[in-house]
Amino acid sequence: MCPLYPFHIIILYFCLLLPLLLAIVEGAESLASWKVTFSASSIGKGNETEKLRELTTKNFDVICADCVQDTDSIYKLELKNEDPRIAFIQSGDYKQDDDGFMEIDVSGKERDWSINVNVTGTFLGFTSIKSAVEETLKDGSIIAKPSDEPLQLTVTRSKAKKTASKIFGYSVAALISFAYINFGCALDLNVMKEVLRKPIGPAIGFVSQFIFMPLCSFLLGYIFPWSSPEMRLGLFVTGTSPGGGASNIWTIMFGGNLDLSVTMTAVSTFSAFFMMPFWIYVLGEVIIDGTQIVIPYFKITTYGVMLVVPLMIGVSIRKCLPKVADFMVKIMKPLALFLIIFILVCGIWSQFFMIRLIDWKIAAVGFALPWLGFAFGCLFAKLCRRERKDIIAIAVETGIQNTGMAIFMLWFTLDHPAGDLAAVVPVAVATLTPFPLLAALVYYNLKNRLWPAEPKEKEMVDMKKDKEVTVSLVNGKEDSNQNMKQDSMNLLTNDDPIKA
């Protein structure tokens, strides 16, 4: 038996693999001095001439320095486009495949060389291109030398889409400003004072609106971890938005407390001017960590404060011109309905790319966010022992977000295409919220028609009726006794003259 048993087997395998290991080390040393870089660190950022728009093309160079080649090896340049939906790369006859991968043979190149590559924007968004030089040794082993940093690509909207988006964006801003003027006219300060004397309802609404909804939207963004950071940010901004003007309309339809609903809308609207920047500052950085998005906190605060101006104009009109304020209040509901329809129809027309981005994940989030708000507002109000009308108002106010304000903030504060991508979520929420509400309203009305009152309510009504009947019977007996006494007295008085 071999004295080295069983170590002789390991030594034997090591001797067989030694030539391969030496070849790999030699190849690694040959690639170690190679320096592969891009001619630019990013494409698509900057002024108008530097932007990479859809269906436009720019070019860049892949540069290799100190690239000494071995005559017995084969060398290839590999380029990988991380998101082939966003851009298309091509160099001469070489093109990227469906996975965004492109391979160019660079065998026989000089010590220093460069290859020009064209990149065409195909859809708005962000992507990156990574490069590596791959060496295939004569024994078949492969060694790769990647570039130090990837090339960042930003593709923005085409000029035609940009014009349509600008028209839509400024129209939304004008309509929201006008809606806030109407809302200021509808504020009855006396009613608000009465409600705020015991602000249990508004306090419940504030906790639901600005504690639960932001945290819920933040967590929903990570329940769907494959969603983009831009859309997670859009979902989060939607969750931090105040209650929408449509909540007052739905509160009326479901028979809720309108005064409480209007007061809660006012409180949440005023609170949003500092709560939205607060939440975006606290959790916004977590969402965009490792991305190219930059959150402009000063812009967000500025636009939030700017919305106070139309609100104050409406309050001033109510105080100085009550007749004009009454007219503005009359058109408030039609205007809110028009704003919803306008965002749906014109938003899809001007931002048709959103249809491609609203997949089942975005649709699920668009349903989940408002309905989780409805459920939490309802349960929280029930735990606080509020009456039925207050529960309806609080639930509706919590679930219905001011998606117009979210779209306004995202479009006018974020750079594009981040603003476009982030606005997809509030548009989806605005589109999908009314349908389940209409279904719930139909169910609510049918239930009231088929089952007009609950058994407990019927029992209470029957007890009340029995009590009324009992009281009337007792009163009737007492009245009859009094009448009998009165009749007997009258007979006595009538008999006295006869006896006389």
Side-chain angles (χ1 to χ4, degrees):
M1 180 179 288
C2 179
L4 297 176
Y5 181 84
F7 297 105
H8 73 287
I9 300 175
I10 299 173
I11 295 171
L12 180 62
Y13 276 110
F14 179 77
C15 292
L16 292 173
L17 292 173
L18 185 60
L20 179 61
L21 293 172
L22 292 174
I24 292 173
V25 171
E26 183 182 353
E29 288 178 353
S30 67
L31 286 180
S33 61
W34 287 39
K35 187 178 182 182
V36 183
T37 59
F38 292 101
S39 58
S41 60
S42 63
I43 293 177
K45 292 183 178 180
N47 56 34
E48 187 63 31
T49 58
E50 296 174 340
K51 287 183 177 179
L52 177 61
R53 296 194 176 277
E54 293 174 312
L55 305 180
T56 62
T57 302
K58 290 188 178 294
N59 57 73
F60 63 91
D61 294 327
V62 181
I63 303 170
C64 189
D66 295 329
C67 303
V68 180
Q69 297 189 10
D70 189 353
T71 54
D72 295 331
S73 299
I74 299 173
Y75 297 88
K76 291 182 180 180
L77 173 66
E78 297 177 345
L79 295 175
K80 179 67 171 70
N81 181 6
E82 292 299 315
D83 193 343
R85 298 178 304 112
I86 305 300
F88 182 82
I89 54 175
Q90 179 180 1
S91 179
D93 295 331
Y94 297 99
K95 298 179 181 179
Q96 74 175 32
D97 58 17
D98 293 338
D99 297 324
F101 184 78
M102 185 172 73
E103 195 174 61
I104 303 173
D105 187 5
V106 294
S107 300
K109 292 280 186 181
E110 299 178 356
R111 184 185 183 93
D112 299 325
W113 51 265
S114 65
I115 293 179
N116 186 261
V117 180
N118 295 324
V119 55
T120 303
T122 54
F123 192 68
L124 59 90
F126 302 96
T127 186
S128 61
I129 297 175
K130 296 179 179 180
S131 68
V133 175
E134 184 182 271
E135 180 184 4
T136 305
L137 303 177
K138 59 182 178 181
D139 59 0
S141 58
I142 298 174
I143 304 169
K145 170 66 176 178
S147 59
D148 294 333
E149 296 291 337
L151 174 66
Q152 302 294 338
L153 292 180
T154 303
V155 181
T156 54
R157 297 165 296 181
S158 63
K159 289 189 175 181
K161 289 182 180 178
K162 181 184 176 182
T163 303
S165 296
K166 276 190 172 181
I167 295 171
F168 179 58
Y170 287 119
S171 300
V172 169
L175 285 171
I176 287 177
S177 300
F178 192 64
Y180 269 67
I181 292 173
N182 282 7
F183 182 68
C185 292
L187 286 180
D188 192 334
L189 299 180
N190 294 325
V191 173
M192 284 187 62
K193 287 178 182 178
E194 290 295 325
V195 175
L196 293 175
R197 282 181 181 177
K198 294 182 179 179
I200 300 174
I204 296 171
F206 182 87
V207 172
S208 302
Q209 191 75 53
F210 291 111
I211 304 297
F212 172 77
M213 292 300 284
L215 294 176
C216 177
S217 60
F218 180 79
L219 293 174
L220 277 176
Y222 287 93
I223 290 175
F224 300 95
W226 50 85
S227 60
S228 67
E230 296 82 19
M231 293 189 181
R232 282 202 296 268
L233 182 62
L235 175 64
F236 182 63
V237 172
T238 305
T240 60
S241 299
S247 61
N248 308 137
I249 300 172
W250 288 108
T251 299
I252 296 172
M253 290 181 178
F254 282 99
N257 188 339
L258 180 60
D259 291 336
L260 177 60
S261 176
V262 172
T263 304
M264 287 176 61
T265 304
V267 171
S268 66
T269 302
F270 281 110
S271 301
F273 301 140
F274 61 88
M275 289 303 294
M276 286 185 73
F278 167 77
W279 277 113
I280 293 171
Y281 178 77
V282 171
L283 294 178
E285 289 293 338
V286 179
I287 296 173
I288 66 168
D289 185 35
T291 68
Q292 305 177 48
I293 306 172
V294 178
I295 298 178
Y297 298 105
F298 180 76
K299 270 189 177 182
I300 289 173
T301 306
T302 302
Y303 279 101
V305 173
M306 282 174 62
L307 290 174
V308 179
V309 177
L311 197 65
M312 291 295 99
I313 291 174
V315 174
S316 301
I317 292 173
R318 164 59 63 188
K319 189 174 182 180
C320 302
L321 301 169
K323 291 185 178 180
V324 177
D326 292 338
F327 173 75
M328 298 288 281
V329 171
K330 287 180 181 179
I331 64 172
M332 185 175 70
K333 292 179 184 178
L335 180 66
L337 182 61
F338 175 75
L339 181 60
I340 294 170
I341 296 173
F342 182 83
I343 290 175
L344 293 179
V345 178
C346 296
I348 292 173
W349 166 77
S350 63
Q351 309 291 322
F352 192 72
F353 66 89
M354 291 184 179
I355 301 298
R356 292 177 58 183
L357 295 172
I358 299 177
D359 54 9
W360 71 268
K361 299 183 292 292
I362 302 299
V365 168
F367 276 114
L369 182 63
W371 280 93
L372 287 173
F374 295 144
F376 181 83
C378 180
L379 291 174
F380 192 24
K382 279 189 174 182
L383 288 174
C384 295
R385 297 181 179 180
R386 307 307 299 166
E387 61 180 15
R388 182 175 174 278
K389 287 188 175 183
D390 291 354
I391 292 173
I392 293 173
I394 292 169
V396 171
E397 192 69 26
T398 303
I400 296 182
Q401 306 296 115
N402 192 335
T403 52
M405 186 175 182
I407 294 169
F408 174 82
M409 296 289 282
L410 292 167
W411 269 348
F412 286 92
T413 57
L414 294 179
D415 292 332
H416 297 283
D420 295 309
L421 297 172
V424 171
V425 178
V427 168
V429 172
T431 305
L432 298 172
T433 300
F435 296 107
L437 277 175
L438 286 171
L441 185 63
V442 170
Y443 169 77
Y444 175 77
N445 290 331
L446 286 175
K447 183 181 177 182
N448 286 340
R449 286 188 179 182
L450 297 175
W451 300 280
E454 296 291 336
K456 289 184 178 179
E457 292 179 0
K458 283 185 177 181
E459 189 175 336
M460 292 294 291
V461 170
D462 292 339
M463 289 174 63
K464 188 176 179 181
K465 286 182 177 178
D466 293 340
K467 188 176 179 181
E468 289 176 354
V469 170
T470 304
V471 170
S472 63
L473 288 172
V474 171
N475 290 336
K477 289 180 179 178
E478 291 177 355
D479 291 340
S480 61
N481 291 333
Q482 289 179 0
N483 291 332
M484 289 174 67
K485 289 180 181 179
Q486 186 67 34
D487 291 339
S488 60
M489 291 293 293
N490 290 335
L491 288 171
L492 291 172
T493 52
N494 288 335
D495 290 342
D496 287 340
I498 297 172
K499 289 178 180 179

